[in-house]
Amino acid sequence: MSSAEEYKSQGNAAFARKDFDEAIDLFSKGIALDENNHVLYSNRSASYAGIQDFENALKDATKCIQIKPDWGKGYGRQGAAYHGLGDLKAAEASYRKGLEVEPGLTMLINGLAEVQQAAREEDSSSGLNGIGALFRRDDLLDVIARSPQVAPYMAQADFMDAVKAIRQDPSSVGQYLSDNRIQALLQVLLMQKNPDMFRKAEEAELRRQKDKERQEEEERKERERAEKAAAEAEKQRKANLTAESFKDDPHGLSEWYKEKGNTFYKNKEFDHAIEQYTKAFEADQTNVAVLTNRAAVRFEQKNYDECVNDCRLAIETGRSVRADFKIIARAYERMGNAFVKAGQLQDAIKAYSDSLVENRSKEVEKKLKDVEKQAKDMAAKAYINPEIAAQHKEQGNALVKEGKYVEAKAAYDEAIRRNPADHTLYSNRALCYMKLMEWPSAKADCDKALDIEPNFVRALERRGNCYVMLKEPTKAMADFKHGLSIEPTNQGCIIGLERVQQNMFSGQRDEQAINNAMKVI
């Protein structure tokens, strides 16, 4: 094991190599072995100064003086630290005190001279006049042009006017210091005047930032270790619990069983989960949440009736003990889920609606919307009956022949509800719309007919005539031509095409072509 003297020798060697961090570490180890060794504090103070950490340098220098107040070098270390911190008066006082102890000590004489010179320079450049004088350098414009921070401002007339004013009257600089551009220029000028000062300040700031980050990282890791240890301890504590541990705490016992049930549920051990949830409810029948948990297990087992029963019991019990409304809402939601799986859509709609009364939830709102659509689609599907649709179609055809187009449309409406896959029904209803001069609706029904049967020529002919009335002759021609490509001898499309071509130039409506399209199937 090294002694304090050995650490001092090693530290001195590191200091000579300017490996100040290593020197600090070695001197610190020496101090740990010999806390009253003033030389170790002096040397560590010099090392701290080497990395611009003047605060710690001052602490070590002050400790050195406390241990050996009659040693001049300690005052020299203290003066250097004060100088580094910018406290020139305190630095001068330390050097003078050291000279009283050891007159003629070179480091004290030189240190005092440096501080006095710095003080004179500070006096000469202090105040607004001193700051303003920086703007009077002959190469100022070149400095601005070469500096990326301020070069763009040269194109701004007010900035250049301000620079000119300060050059003419340095004492006026105070009027412009609120201008961020002037502040940026001032910083550039100060850096050029004393680059070492700024470099050292930046280095010191970087070190402080790294130290801060290192400390924060250590604190984060320590928190993680503490949290992990606490979690492990809590896990071990829970593992050691038994039912006897909750002899006088029924709610605690219920929660203990519930947690065991949750673990089984996550592991998909559903029978064991139900057993634990049942024990949890038996231990404390005000703990309604365990019933909704048990319902979730029943759902996973596809035992939807039992799931609904557990939800109903949760709702009934929850209301009697004034449980949290969110728990009641959850019970209704899970009941709705079970009803959906069981195909009882109307019951599911009511359950989801009741859940939303207890607590608004976007998830439940979506479930309600989805099941309502599903119920509507199923109802529409159940309503389909092609035989009855054919009867309503015949009624519609008869009404068209009688000129009762409103009544005919109603008959076709019912026929479509009964058999929405029959393309002829849409075409016939389009005829009613055309007779009633409702061209957009007629065209929409033709679209639907053609969606079902793209080669249905009658629908193409009728849509072509709708396009004529809607003043879209190009589309009308396209439909007539399409119809003829399928059925070349179709007289309606032939006549429609010929007349629409003529009417494109004459601007006349072809009533005969429209009448030809108005025939039922």
Side-chain angles (χ1 to χ4, degrees), residues 419-488:
N419 189 9
D422 185 349
H423 60 286
T424 64
L425 297 175
Y426 296 99
S427 177
N428 287 7
R429 190 171 68 178
L431 166 66
C432 296
Y433 281 127
M434 293 171 75
K435 290 291 186 180
L436 296 170
M437 310 297 283
E438 296 183 22
W439 305 107
S441 296
K443 183 259 180 188
D445 267 357
C446 291
D447 289 342
K448 183 63 178 177
L450 291 166
D451 285 342
I452 299 171
E453 178 48 67
N455 294 327
F456 185 30
V457 176
R458 175 67 74 181
L460 287 167
E461 180 187 348
R462 284 179 177 162
R463 190 170 70 177
N465 284 292
C466 288
Y467 279 133
V468 170
M469 299 307 297
L470 293 170
K471 297 182 179 180
E472 296 187 65
T474 303
K475 292 182 178 179
M477 289 177 62
D479 274 350
F480 291 139
K481 288 181 179 179
H482 187 190
L484 290 172
S485 70
I486 299 168
E487 189 179 321

Side-chain angles (χ1 to χ4, degrees), residues 90-246:
E92 183 176 351
S94 293
Y95 286 131
R96 290 188 181 281
K97 181 65 176 176
L99 289 170
E100 292 177 6
V101 173
E102 284 192 50
L105 185 62
T106 303
M107 72 172 296
L108 295 174
I109 295 172
N110 292 340
L112 180 59
E114 290 174 3
V115 167
Q116 290 173 336
Q117 177 61 28
R120 284 192 295 272
E121 292 179 358
E122 186 177 88
D123 289 339
S124 66
S125 62
S126 63
L128 295 179
N129 282 328
I131 295 174
L134 294 171
F135 288 75
R136 304 196 73 173
R137 55 190 293 174
D138 295 334
D139 61 344
L140 180 62
L141 294 180
D142 290 337
V143 171
I144 297 174
R146 291 195 307 268
S147 302
Q149 305 96 311
V150 294
Y153 303 146
M154 292 188 75
Q156 300 175 14
D158 60 332
F159 171 75
M160 296 306 296
D161 289 343
V163 172
K164 182 178 179 181
I166 298 171
R167 283 175 63 82
Q168 292 175 347
D169 181 9
S171 64
S172 68
V173 69
Q175 302 174 27
Y176 302 97
L177 288 179
S178 59
D179 188 327
N180 292 333
R181 299 169 299 175
I182 297 298
Q183 291 180 18
L185 176 55
L186 179 59
Q187 185 176 22
V188 170
L189 296 173
L190 288 171
M191 288 180 66
Q192 292 198 359
K193 181 181 179 183
N194 195 345
D196 287 342
M197 180 183 72
F198 280 89
R199 178 182 58 77
K200 291 178 180 178
E202 288 177 356
E203 291 175 352
E205 179 60 29
L206 286 174
R207 282 192 296 273
R208 281 194 293 271
Q209 187 63 31
K210 287 182 179 179
D211 290 342
K212 181 181 177 182
E213 291 175 357
R214 183 167 53 251
Q215 182 179 357
E216 289 176 349
E217 179 65 14
E218 290 175 355
E219 291 175 353
R220 184 188 65 79
K221 290 181 179 179
E222 182 58 33
R223 284 195 303 272
E224 287 182 353
R225 285 192 291 269
E227 290 171 0
K228 185 176 180 180
E232 189 63 32
E234 179 63 13
K235 182 179 178 181
Q236 187 60 44
R237 184 190 71 79
K238 289 182 177 180
N240 294 332
L241 292 174
T242 65
E244 292 298 318
S245 305
F246 304 94

Side-chain angles (χ1 to χ4, degrees), residues 259-293:
E259 287 191 21
K260 292 169 73 69
N262 293 345
T263 300
F264 283 125
Y265 177 78
K266 291 175 183 177
N267 294 331
K268 299 187 181 301
E269 299 179 51
F270 298 133
D271 290 337
H272 291 308
I274 288 176
E275 179 183 356
Q276 296 303 316
Y277 289 141
T278 301
K279 289 181 179 180
F281 187 63
E282 291 172 351
D284 180 8
Q285 296 193 2
T286 67
N287 193 356
V288 183
V290 299
L291 292 174
T292 61
N293 286 13

